[in-house]
Amino acid sequence: MAFISSGYNPDKPMENRITDIGNRHYGEFLPPVIKKNFGKWLWHEILEPGVLMHKAESGDEVYTVRVGEPRLMTVQYIREALDIADKYCDGYLRFTTRNNIEFMVDSKDKLEALKKELQSKKFPGGSYMFPIGGTGAGVTNIVHTQGWIHCHTPATDASGPVKCVMDDLFEDFQKMRLPAQLRISLACCLNMCGAVHCSDIAILGYHRKPPMIDDEYIDKLCEIPLAIAACPVGAVKPKKKKIKSEKTGEEIEVKSVEVNQERCMFCGNCYTMCPSMPLADHEGDGIVLMAGGKVSNRISAPKFSKVVVAFIENEPPRWPTLTKTIRKIVDAYAKGAKKYERLGDWAERIGWEKFFEVCDLDFSHHLIDDFRDPAYYTWRQTSNFKFTSKFPYEYADLKVEK
Amino acid sequence: MPKHETPLLDQLISGPWPSFVDDLKSYSEYRHKNPKNVEYQIPEDVVDDLLGVLELSYVDKETHWKHGGIVGVFGYGGGVIGRYCDQPEKFSGVAHFHTLRVNQPNGKYYSTEFLRAICDLWEFRGSGIMNMHGSTGDMVFLGTRTEQLEEIFYELTHKLNQDLGGSGSNLRTPSCCLGQSRCEWACYNTQEAAYQLTHEYQDELHRPAFPYKFKFKFDGCPNCCVASIARSDLSVIGTWKDAIQIDQEAVQAYINGEIPPNGGAHADGDWGPFDIQKEVIDLCPTQCMWMEDGKLMINNKECTRCMHCINVMPRALRPGNDRGASILVGAKAPILDGAQMSSLLVPFIRMEEPFDELKELIENIWDWWMEEGKNRERLGELIKRKGFRELLNVAGLKAVPQHVQEPRHNPYIYWYEDEVPGGWQRDIKEFRKRHQR
């Protein structure tokens, strides 16, 4: 493994340096039929799950085959896709905002061979490399984050749960039987690099234990005032502590912090600012399941996802409780919603009390908001509600047994 | 014989969905065989060790990546994220495992030639493992050693004419939907807008000078395929001012069942024949559509452009021709004070090159945020803390009813002194002449 220089000279970093050039212009990468008809498209149709046709004013047509991809991928996987794009698509392809790959051809007669090749590609263990689907009223690919494969703050894995959920919902990726599109997202902690807060179903990693404090190191590794300021609920305070040094065995006084554990909402913002306050814990960490969000303005305004399951344990490698719970929600939605109705619109129409009943999900105090102002607006300020059989509602039923 | 046994991860090989484990395992073998005789610049067993450390996380149910680590390329404060393994003795191949964000072409179209060159570079100088794409939109290179960072940057800029993306407290890589390249609904050229703003604001993108991250996202229409309204501090959503274009013959074809509704999106459901009254007219949120003498009528003055009717009948209905965008600001994920959606600031703006009005608005907002924003305070939180009227002031804009869903619920109006006749400085003695103690 001999070092090979790129031409960069570490003694003169500014020599021939090129900076601030930004990205390449998209115009370099458009397939000819796309370039020719740019801004001149008339309409489109989904010919079958995963296959779209767009018609241009010129009469030209472009046929797109959409396939799911794992987001985390090797260059060999990408090269497989590139080989197909070279063979069938004049050397172009594109990726979607939801981690799908799109292969485009300019006439219908080129479609079958492309589809056949995509369908035939499998990994050695048998999974599809390029499953066709992800269009229309079905489940498209999951937008997700890094998880245990690369991140320092996750409360769950990302690629693993995604693989399990998509294996389970695979039929709905390749079909369009649902009332509307169903967008699933995963973020492996509350930082939400995956911004899952407006998804039909959101899988969110969550910690449940307050941070531990590495007293001997915190003052050396962190700006303590920043760690204190990072806490949104004012639970972190400065504290001088007498501890026995791990290094010398002597008793020493250190500048550290103290956490009011009852106030902690486990957001992990202190850990983001200070590596000496780790939260991760194999028993504490797991998944919060949220539902009913969307980003489209269609029919109703965009809305946030709501917490529908307060905690699901991390169950690697196959996350069975997670997949079963999502399956229950998807099936209840498929059965109960009207055509065009997004999951959140359906839940609002039938009432969330009914949502919990028809999805067979438990309800507990964890699901009633108590975080600042928005909380009040989520309680029920009307006498209109539905009675449910799953949840007894009379005074005597509500009384907690002593 | 694999370097590490991975019995848990191996259970993610089966099932129909593309298996990232199988991909990694296959690539690990390929890397050892090295058929193209690549002179790998980081350990050959990087993929084996990545699988090993992930397997350990599957056992421990905790991550094994350390917090942060300040690495980067000279002159930039973003684009590289330092990452170190917390078990470097066991997994030396991933002891350093830094990330580079590479600014994707807008709309995420690629030529195979370009992407092959990217793959070759990354196999040579890194792990060969990528994300296509990261959540913000970049191509993500996952895993290389510190000494390779400058080399990769040099090759990217010199050989591939390609720069890094954003990270940290700076402008994050702008992203957009595929826009006019292949969508009939895009009300402006989202790709060009994202491209031009990316290039206009290179300094802000590479050198952190902001209180926290700032994201632009460009959606071509209110369907919001790139989720700008939920995911960007400044959301640009295409819209139009004039009438929805109607092809009445095509409307009839939908009614007669000759064209599948919603572009065929419901093909596998048993929804019965298309019913324009039930599926379009009754679902219109403003009830501004009706049938008259067999023709579909729209009272466009009442339309809020939600896209439903257009989505259902793409061959009959199209957005109007007088096009631009709405600007909304302040979206963010829950950290810290709860999630926020973007709020409408400019109902309509022209989105034509060189996007001067948009740039003026952005720079006015940035000046305020950089002056007033606290460390790690997103724009949306600053607006909440200082009030929407402050935002209007700094943007130099008047209030209009479109800014609110409904007017305020309380009379606690913060009047400015100059809005009240006589001002606030009064004489208590004069008051007492009129009112005894």
Side-chain angles (χ1 to χ4, degrees):
Chain A
M1 197 173 84
F3 181 83
I4 299 174
S5 169
S6 60
Y8 170 73
N9 179 355
D11 297 327
K12 294 181 184 168
M14 292 310 291
E15 192 176 73
N16 300 323
R17 194 169 189 84
I18 298 174
T19 69
D20 297 80
I21 57 172
N23 56 351
R24 297 267 291 257
H25 193 264
Y26 58 91
E28 295 178 61
F29 303 127
L30 301 176
V33 63
I34 295 289
K35 198 161 199 167
K36 181 185 163 198
N37 297 288
F38 196 99
K40 307 276 182 202
W41 297 100
L42 279 178
W43 51 266
H44 77 278
E45 194 172 311
I46 305 169
L47 303 179
E48 59 186 88
V51 181
L52 302 116
M53 190 275 275
H54 287 79
K55 183 93 174 176
E57 286 171 13
S58 65
D60 286 353
E61 294 171 347
V62 62
Y63 292 83
T64 302
V65 182
R66 182 178 294 170
V67 304
E69 43 103 323
R71 191 185 97 123
L72 176 76
M73 58 182 70
T74 68
V75 291
Q76 271 303 89
Y77 175 85
I78 296 172
R79 287 171 182 145
E80 292 274 359
L82 297 177
D83 287 344
I84 294 171
D86 276 338
K87 194 164 162 191
Y88 298 95
C89 311
D90 302 321
Y92 297 95
L93 80 177
R94 79 172 284 268
F95 291 76
T96 73
T97 52
R98 299 197 70 89
N99 303 334
N100 298 303
I101 306 178
E102 292 185 337
F103 295 91
M104 285 158 277
V105 291
D106 57 12
S107 78
K108 199 170 185 175
D109 52 330
K110 296 178 183 170
L111 206 50
E112 283 312 309
L114 169 63
K115 274 167 50 190
K116 207 173 156 194
E117 173 119 19
L118 288 167
Q119 275 158 344
S120 72
K121 289 281 179 189
K122 290 191 171 181
F123 285 110
S127 65
Y128 289 98
M129 293 180 90
F130 305 110
I132 298 172
T135 52
V139 172
T140 189
N141 200 351
I142 297 179
V143 169
H144 66 97
T145 56
Q146 305 287 20
W148 291 333
I149 201 145
H150 197 58
C151 183
H152 64 297
T153 65
T156 186
D157 188 33
S159 292
V162 165
K163 161 76 174 150
C164 300
V165 171
M166 286 309 288
D167 275 345
D168 191 63
L169 295 178
F170 191 69
E171 203 185 340
D172 280 316
F173 178 79
Q174 298 207 304
K175 273 194 164 173
M176 304 187 292
R177 63 148 189 146
L178 299 179
Q181 64 265 53
L182 188 90
R183 301 275 189 258
I184 306 177
S185 310
L186 181 148
C188 51
C189 85
L190 193 58
N191 278 321
M192 278 200 195
C193 301
V196 304
H197 55 293
C198 297
S199 307
D200 294 286
I201 295 178
I203 305 163
L204 174 64
Y206 208 80
H207 304 290
R208 292 187 306 167
K209 294 191 183 183
M212 295 171 286
I213 303 158
D214 221 347
D215 287 315
E216 190 169 351
Y217 295 88
I218 187 165
D219 192 35
K220 300 180 187 82
L221 292 173
C222 313
E223 295 283 348
I224 287 178
L226 284 183
I228 292 166
C231 181
V233 292
V236 183
K237 284 194 302 194
K239 174 96 177 171
K240 280 188 181 160
K241 295 181 186 170
K242 285 197 173 125
I243 59 160
K244 196 173 166 189
S245 167
E246 215 178 284
K247 280 190 235 159
T248 62
E250 287 166 25
E251 188 159 298
I252 51 169
E253 191 180 76
V254 292
K255 280 187 203 158
S256 183
V257 297
E258 183 176 64
V259 175
N260 181 341
Q261 298 195 332
E262 280 172 23
R263 257 193 216 175
C264 178
M265 62 177 193
F266 321 105
C267 72
N269 207 44
C270 53
Y271 182 61
T272 296
M273 298 310 287
C274 172
S276 297
M277 300 181 73
L279 284 85
D281 186 273
H282 57 282
E283 290 172 330
D285 297 353
I287 285 166
V288 174
L289 204 59
M290 302 173 78
K294 70 185 191 95
V295 294
S296 162
N297 290 273
R298 183 177 185 174
I299 303 178
S300 62
K303 42 186 143 230
F304 292 122
S305 312
K306 285 87 183 166
V307 177
V308 296
V309 181
F311 187 75
I312 297 173
E313 200 183 324
N314 278 326
E315 298 171 315
R318 296 292 315 190
W319 276 269
T321 308
L322 174 70
T323 55
K324 267 183 221 149
T325 311
I326 291 176
R327 163 62 62 187
K328 279 201 294 192
I329 296 171
V330 173
D331 284 346
Y333 165 65
K335 198 172 149 204
K338 294 179 179 175
K339 193 176 180 185
Y340 306 114
E341 203 167 41
R342 292 289 288 266
L343 194 146
D345 291 326
W346 165 64
E348 283 173 17
R349 175 171 60 81
I350 64 172
W352 282 97
E353 67 274 38
K354 272 290 196 205
F355 171 88
F356 283 93
E357 182 168 86
V358 297
C359 293
D360 190 26
L361 298 174
D362 293 334
F363 197 88
S364 64
H365 72 89
H366 308 94
L367 304 181
I368 300 176
D369 199 347
D370 47 16
F371 186 70
R372 301 197 176 154
D373 261 5
Y376 166 81
Y377 295 98
T378 66
W379 306 338
R380 193 180 296 266
Q381 283 106 24
T382 169
S383 59
N384 300 350
F385 62 85
K386 290 180 182 174
F387 294 116
T388 49
S389 50
K390 182 175 167 66
F391 305 103
Y393 42 78
E394 289 195 31
Y395 179 71
D397 301 322
L398 264 49
K399 282 181 85 163
V400 178
E401 281 174 42
K402 285 185 180 161
Chain B
M1 187 64 190
K3 185 174 173 188
H4 306 284
E5 292 296 322
T6 54
L8 292 175
L9 290 180
D10 291 350
Q11 294 177 56
L12 289 170
I13 286 174
S14 60
W17 189 253
S19 168
F20 71 99
V21 173
D22 218 353
D23 182 24
L24 290 170
K25 292 202 141 187
S26 310
Y27 183 59
S28 147
E29 281 176 32
Y30 174 89
R31 209 169 155 94
H32 292 305
K33 277 189 206 145
N34 194 6
K36 288 193 267 182
N37 291 314
V38 176
E39 191 84 37
Y40 298 126
Q41 296 293 294
I42 74 163
E44 185 186 304
D45 56 2
V46 56
V47 185
D48 311 67
D49 279 348
L50 185 66
L51 284 161
V53 75
L54 185 61
E55 177 75 14
L56 185 62
S57 279
Y58 270 55
V59 174
D60 291 348
K61 301 193 200 178
E62 287 168 4
T63 192
H64 283 287
W65 299 100
K66 279 193 205 179
H67 194 288
I70 297 172
V71 290
V73 297
F74 190 79
Y76 281 10
V80 182
I81 295 101
R83 186 67 71 225
Y84 298 92
C85 182
D86 72 8
Q87 297 292 332
E89 295 82 11
K90 272 190 214 157
F91 307 106
S92 58
V94 293
H96 294 208
F97 201 68
H98 309 319
T99 302
L100 289 104
R101 293 185 184 165
V102 182
N103 194 333
Q104 82 287 0
N106 300 110
K108 300 190 176 97
Y109 287 86
Y110 292 93
S111 69
T112 53
E113 183 195 0
F114 175 66
L115 201 45
R116 255 181 231 288
I118 289 276
C119 289
D120 291 348
L121 168 62
W122 185 235
E123 180 164 75
F124 170 43
R125 296 198 177 274
S127 69
I129 301 164
M130 296 175 66
N131 288 139
M132 294 294 279
H133 293 78
S135 294
T136 299
D138 298 282
M139 288 179 265
V140 178
F141 288 176
L142 285 176
T144 192
R145 294 185 61 83
T146 307
E147 58 274 16
Q148 287 302 316
L149 296 172
E150 288 289 358
E151 308 296 329
I152 292 164
F153 182 69
Y154 193 93
E155 293 210 27
L156 277 175
T157 51
H158 284 77
K159 294 184 182 159
L160 296 175
N161 189 24
Q162 171 66 51
D163 208 337
L164 299 180
S167 67
S169 291
N170 51 13
L171 175 64
R172 298 301 181 85
T173 308
S175 73
C176 62
C177 66
L178 86 172
Q180 295 178 334
S181 68
R182 206 194 61 201
C183 181
E184 66 269 32
W185 297 326
C187 293
Y188 65 96
N189 186 347
T190 57
Q191 291 163 286
E192 191 61 28
Y195 179 80
Q196 293 213 7
L197 269 73
T198 300
H199 287 252
E200 175 82 16
Y201 298 120
Q202 279 291 293
D203 194 30
E204 287 78 1
L205 200 151
H206 297 304
R207 296 169 192 91
F210 290 154
Y212 201 9
K213 64 182 92 165
F214 196 96
K215 297 183 180 182
F216 301 137
K217 289 191 194 294
F218 297 89
D219 271 310
C221 84
N223 281 330
C224 280
C225 290
V226 77
S228 66
I229 198 165
R231 300 193 54 185
S232 54
D233 300 88
L234 192 123
S235 322
V236 183
I237 302 175
T239 196
W240 65 94
K241 292 203 293 188
D242 55 342
I244 291 174
Q245 305 177 64
I246 308 182
D247 176 344
Q248 294 289 357
E249 274 180 33
V251 173
Q252 283 308 316
Y254 278 103
I255 292 172
N256 297 337
E258 292 155 25
I259 309 173
N262 215 42
H266 289 80
D268 297 320
D270 185 13
W271 302 103
F274 176 66
D275 179 341
I276 194 168
Q277 185 68 37
K278 202 171 117 194
E279 298 187 32
V280 179
I281 296 172
D282 291 349
L283 289 180
C284 170
T286 61
Q287 302 286 294
C288 70
M289 312 179 87
W290 69 97
M291 294 300 293
E292 198 172 297
D293 302 330
K295 287 189 171 165
L296 178 68
M297 310 298 283
I298 303 176
N299 181 356
N300 281 283
K301 287 195 171 124
E302 295 302 312
C303 173
T304 53
R305 304 164 309 284
C306 85
M307 294 296 294
H308 175 65
C309 59
I310 296 173
N311 288 337
V312 176
M313 303 195 292
R315 288 174 74 165
L317 304 177
R318 308 187 70 204
N321 279 315
D322 193 4
R323 298 175 178 190
S326 301
I327 308 287
L328 295 86
V329 292
K332 56 179 279 292
I335 292 279
L336 280 172
D337 258 355
Q340 283 177 243
M341 211 84 78
S342 277
S343 301
L344 183 69
L345 178 61
V346 181
F348 191 85
I349 193 167
R350 292 282 168 204
M351 285 297 289
E352 283 148 19
E353 295 172 47
F355 308 104
D356 283 339
E357 288 186 335
L358 180 61
K359 288 176 192 168
E360 178 184 274
L361 177 71
I362 288 167
E363 288 164 26
N364 284 337
I365 291 174
W366 278 353
D367 283 347
W368 177 57
W369 180 52
M370 288 166 76
E371 184 72 26
E372 297 284 346
K374 296 180 188 172
N375 184 32
R376 283 168 63 78
E377 185 174 49
R378 292 284 288 269
L379 176 64
E381 292 163 320
L382 176 66
I383 298 168
K384 265 171 88 173
R385 180 161 66 81
K386 303 289 280 186
F388 198 85
R389 69 167 186 175
E390 277 295 302
L391 172 69
L392 289 175
N393 282 346
V394 299
L397 300 174
K398 289 178 201 155
V400 287
Q402 283 84 352
H403 284 137
V404 293
Q405 197 64 42
E406 55 195 22
R408 65 191 308 151
H409 288 196
N410 57 68
Y412 305 144
I413 300 165
Y414 289 101
W415 290 99
Y416 290 115
E417 185 174 8
D418 63 8
E419 289 179 316
V420 184
W424 293 345
Q425 304 313 314
R426 292 178 289 158
D427 187 347
I428 186 72
K429 286 177 192 144
E430 288 298 315
F431 183 80
R432 286 297 167 218
K433 283 179 191 166
R434 302 194 298 274
H435 306 281
Q436 294 177 16
R437 274 193 190 91

